Amino acid sequence: FKEVSRAGLVATHLGQTAPKVEAAVQDATGGVLFIDEAYAIVRDGRDSFGQEAVDTLIKKMEDNRKTVIVILAGYEQEMDTFFDANPGFTSRVPLTFRFEDYNCTELAKIGNLFLSSRGM
């Protein structure tokens, strides 16, 4: 299991982003690459380093689809925009899971379970 964010994938200098993405995928070989707040990889249409990271990630996902599971996590609306950053995502990310936010009652139950597990 390897968890990364934008900082672990996107470099600040030309030519350094693709190797960072390749290394992250390599480190996750045989397991899971979890990218939290994946939408942050590409900040806007002028973010060439972020776009390079996405393009490299898609290629590596395809090349390593039998050895690495990639989980892209983030807020629903932002993730929809992120997937639009490269049309290749549609064919390479066949499953999307959407989780509802917890309501107040559910949060209270979680809090009570947490407290009782600590003897409080």
Side-chain angles (χ1 to χ4, degrees):
F1 182 86
K2 169 88 173 169
E3 181 176 350
V4 295
S5 62
R6 176 184 166 89
L9 298 173
V10 179
T12 57
H13 294 87
L14 187 63
Q16 295 177 340
T17 294
K20 284 183 86 168
V21 173
E22 291 168 356
V25 173
Q26 181 63 38
D27 289 347
T29 297
V32 174
L33 176 61
F34 180 83
I35 305 173
D36 196 14
E37 297 182 351
Y39 55 82
I41 295 172
V42 179
R43 292 195 171 137
D44 60 39
R46 299 179 312 247
D47 183 3
S48 61
F49 293 132
Q51 191 60 53
E52 180 184 4
V54 167
D55 296 343
T56 305
L57 178 62
I58 288 172
K59 172 82 168 86
K60 289 296 167 184
M61 286 170 61
E62 181 67 25
D63 293 349
N64 297 283
R65 68 178 179 262
K66 293 183 179 181
T67 59
V68 176
I69 296 169
V70 178
I71 298 174
L72 304 163
Y75 296 109
E76 184 174 348
Q77 198 168 16
E78 288 86 347
M79 290 303 292
D80 289 341
T81 302
F82 174 68
F83 284 129
D84 291 341
N86 188 305
F89 270 131
T90 307
S91 63
R92 290 174 183 86
V93 182
L95 301 173
T96 301
F97 298 94
R98 300 187 191 276
F99 298 95
E100 296 296 321
D101 293 335
Y102 291 115
N103 62 37
C104 289
T105 303
E106 292 167 331
L107 287 172
K109 286 181 182 178
I110 292 168
N112 286 333
L113 283 170
F114 178 77
L115 292 173
S116 64
S117 72
R118 296 203 168 10
M120 301 175 163

